[in-house]
Structure formats: C-alpha cells, structure tokens
Amino acid sequence: KRRTSSTRFVTDYLGNFTRTDDIETINNHRVNTYFDIFKTRKYFFRPFFGEYFRDPFRNIKSRVTLGAGIGYHIIDTAKTEWDVAGGPAYQRTRFESVLPGQEVSESTPAFVAQTYFERKISKKVELNSKYEFQILNEASGTYTHHFIVSLETEFTRWLDFDISFVWDTIKDPQPEADGTVPKSNDFYLI
C-alpha cells in the first residue's frame, strides 16, 4: 500500500499451491490492485481497479476484471479504517475446458462492490477483512464473492503469526468438458 494525502495505491497477492503424494491439489492465484484519488477526506474516485484470478480446479484458466468506480471512507481513525467502493467493470474469463459446443472464453460487463475493514486491536494485534461481490452474466458465473478475514499478531520485530480464513464463491461455475461441475464454494484456512 502506498498512500499520500490525496491518493492511495494498493496491490494484493494471494496464492495457494499444495501437492499431496505428488498430486497437485490446490493451485490458485489472485492479484488485486486499485488506485484512489481523494476528492474530500471521505469521498474518493477510483479511476482504476483490476483483478487477475486463476484456479484450474474451479475450471478458470484466467479471469481478468478491469473497472472504475467511487468510494467512501466510513471510518478513518488511528485504530480503525473502513472503506466501501464499487463501480462498473469488464470481465473476461478463459476456461480450462468446456462442454462441446461451448465457448472457451466469456466476456461480460460486471458490477463490482467491495469493502475493506482494518482494526488495530492492540499494539501487536490487528484484524483485517476484505469482501468483494461481483454481478456477472450467467456464463461467467452469475455472481461471485471473495471474502478474507485475517488476524495478524506481531510477536517480535522479526516474528509475526498471521491466520486467515478465505471464502470464495461462484454461483454458477462453468462445467468442464466431461460434464463435471466444480463446487460453488471454496473455503480455506491459511
């Protein structure tokens, strides 16, 4: 995160990769970025936000979302920060495999809404949460949710312990070539 008195630029990466008995069981990656320009202490314009997502186990080879929007600082104190933002977007999804006769990629207009909450519980403990909701066409999944909540604990200057819970949802996942439909919900603990 880079913040000045009138702008903010944020980039986040979340990746998971697991092999069990030489078999890949998880392999997903998500990169989010946005740039905000504050018009007042509370209101901001988001001329750009974007997301890249990949999860072959959910039949998503790549999904790119680009958009613009507006936002509002609900709380901005030394201990608590809470923002809401949203706006129109464009999304393009490439699938790993599709049923015969289906398109291997899908493009759609979208509406994206998100909120970010950060609270310093104590000098060494912080709670963060981020929630994003996307409304899409049915071929792209109808709607998606991405929710992450983290508890960050600083034991020493060089040792932290963080624990995060992640919930991802695609209401109507795209079936694979063999007719298998990926699960709608994905939960994990990091």
Side-chain angles (χ1 to χ4, degrees), residues 59 95 97-104 174-181:
N59 197 20
F95 302 105
S97 67
V98 294
L99 293 170
Q102 297 290 322
E103 294 292 325
V104 74
Q174 185 69 249
E176 296 176 10
D178 64 1
T180 305
V181 178

Side-chain angles (χ1 to χ4, degrees), residues 5-8 35-40 43-47 71:
S5 60
S6 62
T7 64
R8 173 175 55 189
F35 179 71
D36 295 333
I37 300 171
F38 287 86
K39 293 303 192 182
T40 69
Y43 293 96
F44 56 89
F45 172 59
R46 185 165 284 177

Side-chain angles (χ1 to χ4, degrees), residues 84-150:
V84 293
Y90 169 81
Q91 186 178 95
R92 180 166 177 85
T93 305
R94 291 185 44 112
F95 302 105
E96 286 286 330
S97 67
V98 294
L99 293 170
Q102 297 290 322
E103 294 292 325
V104 74
S105 67
E106 180 66 32
S107 298
T108 181
F111 176 76
V112 177
Q114 50 191 209
T115 185
Y116 177 78
F117 180 80
E118 180 178 302
R119 171 79 177 163
K120 291 181 181 163
I121 297 170
S122 71
K123 186 177 175 184
K124 296 187 180 266
V125 180
E126 189 173 289
L127 176 73
N128 297 313
S129 69
K130 178 181 174 184
Y131 175 74
E132 182 176 288
F133 178 77
Q134 298 179 359
I135 300 173
L136 317 155
N137 67 6
E138 187 176 351
S140 297
T142 308
Y143 65 80
T144 66
H145 298 270
H146 173 67
F147 175 69
I148 182 168
V149 61
S150 302

